[in-house]
Amino acid sequence: MSTPGRGLHGHVLGTLGPAITAGEYPAGSVLRTDELAQHFEVSRSVMREAVRVLESMHLVESRRRVGVTVLPKCEWNVYDPQVIRWRLAGADRPHQLRSLTVLRSAIEPVAAGLTAANATAEQCAELTECALGMVANSRGHKLEAYLIHDIAFHRVILTASGNEMFARLGDVVAEVLAGRTHHEVMFEDPDPAAVTLHVQVAEAVREGDATRAEQLTREITVGALQELDILVPKS
Amino acid sequence: MSTPGRGLHGHVLGTLGPAITAGEYPAGSVLRTDELAQHFEVSRSVMREAVRVLESMHLVESRRRVGVTVLPKCEWNVYDPQVIRWRLAGADRPHQLRSLTVLRSAIEPVAAGLTAANATAEQCAELTECALGMVANSRGHKLEAYLIHDIAFHRVILTASGNEMFARLGDVVAEVLAGRTHHEVMFEDPDPAAVTLHVQVAEAVREGDATRAEQLTREITVGALQELDILVPKS
DNA sequence: AGGAACAAAAAGTCAGACTTATTTGTCACA
DNA sequence: TGTGACAAATAAGTCTGACTTTTTGTTCCT
């Protein structure tokens, strides 16, 4: 599941990071490096490295004579994959899931449009293959196989868009989709309408129809948002 | 301009980070901590902390018996504000600027729609104020004052959307807008059509018309993309 | 009350010794 | 010739202790 974190320093991060993102230490809390080092039973060098990483994520700020101050949520680097993972694993998972799904609803349609304009023949083929895989596993409670193709589909869309910022969201989307299957309840087979939409997006991309690809993808993300409204309580 | 980086460790980062993101060390290059420490005339502890931070940005990977390996661009945490700043300051500034503008074109319209639905009275007022400030400085080569209001406008849109992922892009948008004014050439006053659009967006938000706010913002970002196509050479 | 000098606290820095994992090379054996 | 195990080399990882620097809060003097 989550990376255990290589090295002592990684282990400390894997404990302290989730604790902070979970709000265990409220913003403004002050920690001392030495105490943390004692608590985790590591040397100060190791502790300092961990603090440096947390600082680079803007989760904390280290100041002389003061200590390590926990920063307010609005300062956090919420796009850091590690931070995303920590938050998804923690208490405000529902909230985070909603934020990310809204983000998807903004990004993916535009990405699909670009993909329709830029995709290579191979990428088109790959996309079609993914869509077919989704169809093949859309009935009979083969959710796991379906998920794999679903993730691959969206990853291709984001990568083939040719925009590096979009491409880098592949992991995030994967995490959101996987979360839906694994954590949130999914009794039935996936929505047939959604499956059809994916096939149609692949079609539109093959035909280079950017407008249609964008519009269809927008429908997919709207569906995802509606599904989320049903599955997780809206705050 | 760019943060000098507090502490020795920050100074090292401020030199090594830009060098890596500029592609000075091609992907796969191997560096050794000891050599780097000597080169920068700092202790190994300091150097290690810097490497840890670069590692958390996925710019490099540190492995025993091997050294510090530079990772390929596709692994980088391109949403890290620091990485964005380094890249904007470096050689592939045009490419980065285009990526970010496309990102804006995906995010901002959706954010504006949400803002129209969620904005408080204060936020509406603030938005209108920004738009008026833009109008007031749209003629007579008062680019600097115009820029301030432009940045504030988009920051309000992103913040008032209520989505933390959108809100966190405020700094990025600010950097892009500032770059347009400061680095790229801007002979004339801003495009009058763009100014009008901003005013209209503020109107739509006040009226709670999400669809119109989204559509108008889309027109703004389309304009920004076209402007970019003119100002910087498309690769 | 205002300001300057002082003391304490915590992060920052450094140097050196030691540990551990990983790679690479070697040598024997099949 | 190829393949296995074993040994050596190497660079990161870890720990410790001493020292420096900056910031904050206090105290004392005017």
Side-chain angles (χ1 to χ4, degrees), chain A residues 32-45 47-48:
Chain A
R32 260 138 315 159
T33 313
D34 290 9
E35 281 187 16
L36 288 173
Q38 275 188 24
H39 178 261
F40 287 106
E41 296 177 319
V42 295
S43 67
R44 290 195 308 286
S45 340
M47 197 60 228
R48 285 179 55 74

Side-chain angles (χ1 to χ4, degrees), chain B residues 1-96:
Chain B
M1 185 60 51
S2 69
T3 314
R6 283 209 310 261
L8 283 186
H9 131 277
H11 176 256
V12 171
L13 267 182
T15 308
L16 195 50
I20 293 175
T21 53
E24 224 162 285
Y25 304 91
S29 305
V30 175
L31 314 170
R32 259 135 325 151
T33 312
D34 292 9
E35 282 187 15
L36 288 173
Q38 275 189 24
H39 178 261
F40 287 106
E41 297 177 318
V42 295
S43 67
R44 284 190 320 134
S45 336
V46 169
M47 196 60 227
R48 285 180 54 75
E49 286 172 27
V51 167
R52 278 279 173 273
V53 173
L54 293 175
E55 199 175 26
S56 88
M57 295 169 173
H58 281 81
L59 295 183
V60 303
E61 190 190 24
S62 179
R63 283 174 55 202
R64 267 187 160 127
R65 172 52 212 255
V66 173
V68 177
T69 313
V70 177
L71 292 177
K73 205 186 203 178
C74 63
E75 296 268 14
W76 298 352
N77 277 6
V78 288
Y79 286 90
D80 189 302
Q82 188 115 81
V83 172
I84 291 177
R85 237 173 292 135
W86 288 339
R87 296 185 66 192
L88 278 179
D92 62 35
R93 171 180 179 81
H95 178 247
Q96 174 76 356

